[in-house]
Amino acid sequence: MTSEPDRDTVDGNDDVVGRYDDYVMPIWKSLNVPVKRASNCTVEDYEGNEYLDVFSGISVTNVGHNNEAVVEAAKAQLDEFVHGCSYVHPSEQVARLGERLAEITPGDLQKSFFCNSGTEAVEGAIKLARKYTGSKEVLALEMAFHGRTLGSLALTGNKAYKSEMAPTINDVAHVAPPYAYRCQMCSGGPCSCACADDLERVIGTHTSGDLAAVVVEPVMGEGGIIVPPNGWLERVKEITHDHGGLLIVDEVQTGYGRTGEMFATEHFDVVPDILPQAKGIANGMPLGAFTASAEVADAFEAGDHLSTFGGNPVACAAALATIDELEDGIVENAREQGAWLSERLADLEAEFDVVGDTRGLGLMQGVELVDPDGDTGPMGVAPEPAPKVAKQVGNRLKESGIIIGVGGYHKNVMRFQPPLTISRDQLSRAVDSLHDALAEVET
């Protein structure tokens, strides 16, 4: 008689993947590296293979996998209590984290609502904007990503995420993104911020004049690491306020040192009205937040918005430790290593025809791959995107022991978003491996 397998043991990578296939609903598994343990910038699978991680769980483990200070802070809180529901029982960790966010977020942002994820933070920010303004309509960017629940999906400007899942918020319109490489308005020439000015046209033609908010990412992550030109965010805020709306800047992916500043809006000297955040906030513990000025935040009355697990004290303890770690030289490292990485990636753009564009801020950098011999790509400018080549390059890097993101609206962008603790030697190894992979696909 054949004995049943031991559910408490795992027999290699295939066993883990097989159990996913049998018992977990379909998810994104393009990297397909089952992780047994991780430390700083390295992950290890169930067969002892080690990988340099330059994607950090989609820009989450900003202070390194298994950061000792963060782990110890979470363990210490576990010994005290795990759950008291922060919206029923006040706790020290939640109060302290709210105070810290008031200190580190831009401008006069002061009061925070804690939730569990970036998606929830964006949805809560929309509710707050509607309550404060008394208006309902929301504008977002084409190619943007703000989450996958039905409300946040309405803001997301990508058909691939919406297929057969029509969102429930109907009062949403979209405006062109600041995608200089494939600009619809500048035709590849010098950027004029015309896409920001086009917000006026969209408000006039696609809304009823009942604007609650405009939602943007300061650097578009899932869209392909798209960095807006100087003046763009400032102009968007000006137009938004002219029409009575609030500017919501989604820093879920860009926050907590990712771009070389604590928050990406600091590069553009713009203070949002509401700032959703998550991912790097607690280095992998489930936590999100949205922060607003006292005036805007006080539009919420008790009970207007609640979250059973939001502000979990263990996650908040991890977040406090994460912020301390970031301020102890890690944000500075992201700035310095990001500047070096940007130069190295620009060298690849100059060397390889298949590299159409490189761009980014800090340790949020993208390499857009194209077919130099193909037709003109979408929007009538720049070569055709090369998603198949990007997938090949990603697989080649994985074979070399490098985990990198492959994404973008056209699925043709290699995404460098490593832990912000990464060393120059580790980055150099990743870029050298990318160079070799590009050389292989271009021959």
Side-chain angles (χ1 to χ4, degrees), residues 87 111-133 138 146-147 149-153 155 169 212-213 215 246 248 250 252 273-277 288-292 296-297 299-301 304-307:
Y87 299 103
K111 294 188 177 183
S112 296
F113 184 100
F114 294 107
C115 50
N116 305 284
S117 68
T119 297
E120 292 176 56
V122 170
E123 294 232 7
I126 293 299
K127 287 181 66 175
L128 178 58
R130 286 180 160 186
K131 183 73 186 295
Y132 177 79
T133 63
V138 182
H146 297 290
T149 57
L150 291 177
S152 61
L153 194 60
L155 305 176
I169 296 179
V215 186
L246 299 183
I248 299 174
D250 179 349
V252 167
D273 296 304
I274 309 175
L275 191 153
Q277 59 219 260
F290 54 98
T291 306
V296 172
F300 266 173
E301 300 174 84
D304 276 350
H305 195 52
L306 289 173
S307 172

Side-chain angles (χ1 to χ4, degrees), residues 137-142 154-155 170-175 202 206-207:
E137 294 174 313
V138 182
L139 265 63
L141 297 181
E142 297 169 354
L155 305 176
N170 296 318
D171 298 321
V172 176
H174 290 83
V175 65
V202 174
H206 291 267
T207 76

Side-chain angles (χ1 to χ4, degrees), residues 320-336:
L320 286 164
T322 297
I323 294 168
D324 288 344
E325 290 288 284
L326 287 168
E327 292 184 329
D328 192 24
I330 291 179
V331 175
E332 182 180 353
N333 186 66
R335 188 182 309 122
E336 293 176 356

Side-chain angles (χ1 to χ4, degrees), residues 185-270:
M185 301 175 188
C186 299
S187 300
C191 180
S192 64
C193 282
C195 54
D197 291 330
D198 194 53
L199 184 59
E200 287 275 13
R201 180 191 65 81
V202 174
I203 292 173
T205 58
H206 291 267
T207 76
S208 65
D210 190 39
L211 184 66
V214 174
V215 186
V216 300
E217 301 162 86
V219 178
M220 298 177 70
E222 303 303 309
I225 317 298
I226 297 171
V227 182
N230 288 331
W232 178 85
L233 190 58
E234 184 178 11
R235 180 67 178 134
V236 168
K237 181 177 180 180
E238 179 183 14
I239 294 171
T240 301
H241 283 191
D242 285 348
H243 290 271
L246 299 183
L247 177 64
I248 299 174
V249 178
D250 179 349
E251 292 253 21
V252 167
Q253 194 164 146
T254 55
Y256 293 91
R258 173 56 52 191
T259 66
E261 299 288 349
M262 188 64 79
F263 293 96
T265 51
E266 296 174 61
H267 291 282
F268 307 107
D269 197 28
V270 171

Side-chain angles (χ1 to χ4, degrees), residues 17 29-34 43 45 49-52 54 390-404 406 414 429 433-434 437:
V17 173
K29 293 194 298 182
S30 64
L31 298 177
N32 207 27
V33 176
V43 301
D45 68 15
N49 301 305
E50 287 191 350
Y51 299 84
L52 174 62
V54 295
K391 186 175 182 179
Q392 291 172 1
V393 170
N395 288 335
R396 176 67 182 85
L397 286 171
K398 188 173 73 171
E399 293 169 1
S400 301
I402 309 289
I403 296 174
I404 193 170
V406 180
M414 314 307 298
R429 174 190 163 196
S433 296
L434 177 59

